[in-house]
């Protein structure tokens, strides 16, 4: 039944649809049945810090991909960003929490109070949290409201060795303090799951790997010359690029140093950095100092399509749960060079789906980029194998099926009949 009208064909009772054993009883033809009551749905609240970029896009795909007849999905997080409009347009409930910011602040006490009010008013069955701060506030609020099921997805880590000891200590404490409030942990990659257990952020045996999906429908499957022309690069010039937020995590200055090293040996190479962030000015100054031209088009909503015009995609991140832009680049069969951090080696297998380099090593990255440009046949093979891996493992349907199975298991619901 949809919107109070009877669907054509036989009506099956709900019990076998849940996977219970037994044969289907005989029912009267649908035209003879009165309309059944509307059954309550499972209310799910996603709490996320910044509803944008990788974790935000992953959360949106999760919310959109759940069965609307079974789940009533809400999203709450930091105000601002283009994903809120997309979520509302798709019919999801959204709550942009006033005073919520991605950094720790005194206003977080007020944000916690607002979350508690929301959860108590709507009586969610599942609270599903994302990222460090959203995970802390969301899980604490769920605990205060005695929410039946609490799930936390680890997209990456808010601390790494190059940060201050105080910041690492604070964020570890926040995550560990809410570990006991969590019924199930999800991780976007196997190495992320392992590190979460080693750091005592998740309990052994209570963490599952659910690969972070990307929307494959709007991503080209192969090289696109039209995307290349957007940057004014001639067909005979190699184009090396990056997509992401231009901030400390992504180490954009290492990309500039890598570009200068590549240009010294291959002057016919062009470079582009698609994205915006607080370090754009430093990137421009360093590029001028090193004498390398880098195209900086800013944030682009069509970045996933533009990546199809690159000859090599480069990731210089210091830490990265998995990397949404990296996954999208592999989906377009682009040869990639990526730093071997966190979950990246689960996606980029050295010599098979790309080349791995050490973080904070622009010379090593330049050497890997040069190798791919000098060996186009091997580079193309890696790109094709990368595309096959992404399209086999990182589809939204695969991710949402795994999340649905997690919810069902925690709620004691059997799997649906295929």
């Amino acid at each position: 039944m949809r919107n109070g009208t009877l669907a054509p064909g036989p009506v099956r009772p709900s019990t076998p649809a849940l996977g219970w054993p037994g044969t289907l009883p005989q029912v009267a033809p649908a035209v003879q049945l009165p309309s059944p009551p509307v059954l309550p749905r499972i209310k799910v609240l996603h709490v996320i810090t910044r509803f944008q970029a990788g974790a935000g896009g992953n959360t949106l795909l999760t919310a959109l991909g759940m069965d609307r007849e079974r789940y009533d999905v809400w999203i709450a997080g930091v105000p601002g960003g283009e994903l809120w409009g997309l979520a509302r347009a798709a019919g999801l409930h959204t709550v942009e929490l006033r005073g919520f910011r991605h950094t720790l602040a005194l206003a977080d006490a007020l944000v916690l109070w607002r979350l508690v009010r929301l959860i108590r008013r709507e009586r969610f069955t599942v609270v599903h949290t994302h990222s460090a701060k959203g995970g802390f506030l969301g899980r604490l609020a769920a605990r205060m409201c005695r929410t039946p099921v609490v799930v936390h997805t680890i997209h990456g880590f808010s601390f790494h060795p190059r940060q201050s000891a105080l910041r690492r200590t604070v964020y570890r404490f926040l995550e560990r303090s809410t570990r006991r409030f969590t019924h199930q942990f999800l991780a976007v990659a196997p190495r992320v799951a392992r590190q979460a257990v080693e750091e005592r952020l998740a309990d052994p045996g209570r963490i599952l790997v659910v690969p972070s999906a990307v929307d494959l429908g709007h991503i080209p499957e192969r090289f696109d010359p039209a995307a290349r022309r957007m940057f004014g690069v001639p067909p005979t010039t190699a184009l090396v690029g990056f997509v992401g937020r231009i901030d400390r995590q992504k180490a954009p200055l290492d990309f500039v140093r890598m570009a200068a090293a590549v240009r010294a040996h291959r002057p016919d190479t062009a470079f582009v950095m698609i994205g915006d962030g607080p370090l754009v000015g430093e990137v421009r100054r360093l590029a001028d100092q090193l004498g390398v031209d880098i195209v900086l088009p800013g944030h682009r909503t069509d970045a996933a399509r533009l990546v199809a015009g690159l000859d090599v995609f480069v990731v210089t991140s210091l830490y990265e749960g998995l990397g949404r832009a990296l996954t999208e680049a592999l989906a377009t069969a682009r040869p990639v060079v990526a730093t071997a951090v966190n979950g990246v080696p689960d996606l980029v297998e050295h010599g098979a789906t790309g080349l791995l380099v050490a973080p904070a090593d622009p010379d090593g990255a330049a050497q890997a980029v040069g190798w791919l440009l000098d060996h186009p046949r091997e580079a193309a093979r890696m790109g094709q194998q990368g595309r096959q891996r992404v399209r086999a493992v990182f589809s939204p349907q695969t991710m949402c099926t795994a999340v649905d199975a997690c919810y069902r298991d925690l709620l004691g619901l059997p799997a649906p009949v295929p």
Side-chain angles (χ1 to χ4, degrees):
M1 188 198 79
R2 293 182 183 272
N3 300 324
T5 60
L6 290 172
V11 176
R12 296 192 174 193
S14 59
T15 297
L18 289 173
W20 290 6
T23 58
L24 290 173
Q26 296 295 316
V27 298
V31 293
Q32 300 180 15
L33 295 177
S35 297
V38 178
L39 299 178
R41 295 182 292 169
I42 300 168
K43 295 191 74 170
V44 179
L45 172 65
H46 289 273
V47 181
I48 185 169
T49 309
R50 288 189 292 197
F51 190 41
Q52 56 185 312
N58 171 270
T59 302
L60 180 59
L61 284 178
T62 301
L64 293 176
M66 305 304 287
D67 183 357
R68 296 293 182 92
E69 295 185 356
R70 183 176 299 278
Y71 295 102
D72 180 15
V73 182
W74 295 55
I75 303 176
V78 172
E82 62 191 26
L83 295 185
W84 290 111
L86 295 176
R88 284 189 286 269
L92 299 175
H93 303 282
T94 61
V95 181
E96 299 184 53
L97 294 164
R98 287 183 295 111
F100 195 10
R101 292 179 288 181
H102 69 279
T103 55
L104 295 174
L106 292 176
D108 291 339
L110 185 57
V111 174
L112 176 63
W113 175 71
R114 288 174 175 145
L115 269 174
V116 169
R117 286 186 59 194
L118 173 65
I119 294 172
R120 284 180 176 165
R121 184 184 75 234
E122 298 298 334
R123 300 178 64 86
F124 294 99
T125 301
V126 179
V127 169
H128 189 156
T129 64
H130 308 260
S131 58
K133 187 174 173 181
F136 172 72
L137 293 176
R139 284 182 283 177
L140 182 57
R143 176 73 170 188
M144 294 170 66
C145 298
R146 302 179 69 180
T147 301
V149 172
V150 179
V151 178
H152 179 60
T153 293
I154 303 174
H155 298 269
F157 301 96
S158 55
F159 51 84
H160 62 88
R162 291 175 178 81
Q163 290 175 330
S164 68
L166 177 61
R167 177 184 171 91
R168 295 198 304 271
T169 300
V170 168
Y171 276 94
R172 279 196 181 96
F173 170 76
L174 293 179
E175 297 233 33
R176 289 171 180 172
S177 66
T178 48
R179 178 182 61 186
R180 59 197 168 105
F181 304 159
T182 314
H183 300 107
Q184 184 67 63
F185 295 89
L186 306 179
V188 297
R191 282 176 172 81
V192 172
R194 169 185 159 185
Q195 186 175 348
V197 173
E198 292 173 343
E199 294 280 358
R200 303 198 307 279
L201 308 183
D203 294 320
R206 288 204 296 124
I207 187 165
L208 302 173
V209 175
V210 178
S212 180
V214 294
D215 183 3
L216 300 175
H218 71 286
I219 300 176
E221 294 188 4
R222 57 187 61 84
F223 178 77
D224 183 2
R228 182 189 193 85
R229 289 194 294 270
M230 291 287 295
F231 303 115
V233 177
T236 56
T237 299
L239 180 60
V240 177
F242 153 92
V243 173
R245 183 167 169 78
I246 302 179
D247 59 11
R248 299 289 178 191
Q249 175 191 350
K250 306 297 183 180
L253 301 184
D254 285 346
F255 182 94
V256 178
R257 297 183 184 101
M258 175 277 302
V262 171
R263 194 72 177 270
H265 297 282
R266 296 184 62 103
D268 59 336
T269 306
F271 303 91
V272 59
M273 300 179 72
I274 305 172
D276 205 351
L279 297 185
V280 171
E282 292 188 35
V283 166
R284 294 185 188 277
R285 285 190 291 272
L286 182 60
D288 289 340
Q289 292 173 10
L290 299 180
V292 56
D293 293 327
I294 297 181
V295 179
L296 291 160
H299 173 72
R300 295 286 302 242
T301 57
D302 59 347
R305 182 180 65 84
L306 295 178
V307 165
L310 302 179
D311 290 290
V312 179
F313 183 86
V314 178
V315 174
T316 53
S317 297
L318 300 176
Y319 60 99
E320 193 78 67
L322 190 64
R324 187 176 190 82
L326 172 61
T327 308
E328 291 178 342
L330 283 170
T332 65
R334 296 302 85 216
V336 303
V337 172
T339 47
V341 295
N342 304 116
V344 171
D346 290 318
L347 180 57
V348 180
E349 182 179 348
H350 190 74
T353 59
L355 296 180
L356 292 170
V357 296
D361 182 13
D363 290 335
Q367 182 179 3
V369 169
W371 192 94
L372 290 175
L373 294 177
D374 290 338
H375 299 82
R377 181 175 299 178
E378 290 82 356
R381 176 180 54 80
M382 292 182 199
Q384 293 293 333
Q385 293 177 165
R387 181 181 68 181
Q388 293 170 8
R389 175 170 296 182
V390 168
R391 294 187 177 269
V393 178
F394 294 88
S395 71
Q397 181 179 0
T398 300
M399 179 182 68
C400 292
T401 298
V403 173
D404 175 65
C406 170
Y407 293 170
R408 287 175 178 274
D409 182 63
L410 292 171
L411 291 170
L413 299 175
V417 175

